[in-house]
Amino acid sequence: MKMKIEIITNCPSCGSDLEQVNSQLFCRNVSCPAQSVKKIEAFAKKMKIKGLGPASIQKLELESVLDIYFSTEDTLIEVLGEKVGTKVFKEIQNSKNVRFSTLVSALSIPLIGDTAAKKVAVEYNSFRDIMEGSNELPLGEKASDNLFGWLLDNEEMALELDSLMSYTAASAAVEQKGSVCITGKLKDFSNRNSAKEILESHGYTVTSSVSSKTAYLVDEEGKPSSKRKKAENLNIPIVSIDFLINK
């Protein structure tokens, strides 16, 4: 006997109508509690607030990123215990010293990731600067619309974040030296994220795949791979990270 599977039409978290895109269902309610928790998780991770994981967020009943900064040390200790609560409070205070670009990219605004946020921060030093600016951003039309739309819906939050944060100066602009792809194990780095940060600080853009636009392939292991084969076919130089940062 075949069982009929019924597709749900409402979000289990907030009850809003679900939108089906191909085989996936999406809740478009920006105030959906489930989405809010995920956004807070992503924010805490990006802002490097250690100890503020999913369990702590739920225990504290945080509903927005501002709730993180409105949490008192006494409340954190009462809910999370003295040791964890004290640690999380210090982490929250430390996170207030941040680059504006890091804060922007931490807010889960569609199409506003690290690269877009850095472009914005070259011309603007705060949300207030953007609001009082010329209504132009150094971004594509869709990304600009998303950021302006977020500011329109969250003006109070944006200005409150401006008042809470001590924005640190961004590093001086570096010469852009082209795109780099990494394959295989690295000699001096335990993971690719740390290698990516170093390369980006030296002006390289790190991509996940090899294409005709790739300037270099980093392969310190030397084992056969699809990326190495493609780089060889495209006559792309295969180098080490040490070579690139000392180039």
Side-chain angles (χ1 to χ4, degrees), residues 70-205:
F70 292 157
S71 298
T72 65
E73 185 172 10
D74 288 342
T75 297
L76 293 170
I77 291 174
E78 180 181 350
V79 176
L80 304 178
E82 184 172 1
K83 184 177 180 180
V84 176
T86 301
K87 178 182 178 181
V88 171
F89 181 76
K90 290 180 179 179
E91 292 286 338
I92 291 172
Q93 302 314 304
N94 290 338
S95 75
K96 292 180 181 179
N97 295 305
V98 66
R99 292 180 182 177
F100 180 56
S101 61
T102 300
L103 176 65
V104 173
S105 65
L107 292 168
S108 298
I109 304 171
L111 299 183
I112 308 297
D114 290 342
T115 301
K118 287 176 182 177
K119 289 180 180 179
V120 171
V122 169
E123 298 187 20
Y124 299 96
N125 298 315
S126 68
F127 288 120
R128 185 177 293 279
D129 283 349
I130 297 175
M131 293 176 188
E132 296 176 351
S134 59
N135 291 327
E136 291 185 6
L137 293 172
L139 303 172
E141 182 178 355
K142 185 61 176 176
S144 295
D145 287 346
N146 287 351
L147 181 50
F148 281 131
W150 184 89
L151 284 171
L152 185 63
D153 294 335
N154 299 276
E155 180 178 353
E156 184 177 343
M157 177 191 290
L159 295 177
E160 190 68 51
L161 286 170
D162 273 350
S163 68
L164 288 167
M165 301 296 167
S166 296
Y167 296 127
T168 58
S171 302
V174 295
E175 177 189 356
Q176 296 303 300
K177 300 176 182 177
S179 64
V180 174
C181 182
I182 302 173
T183 187
K185 294 181 180 179
L186 300 172
K187 294 179 180 178
D188 300 318
F189 296 88
S190 58
N191 60 71
R192 291 188 184 181
N193 283 335
S194 56
K196 179 182 177 182
E197 290 181 3
I198 290 294
L199 288 169
E200 288 180 342
S201 71
H202 283 78
Y204 296 99
T205 299

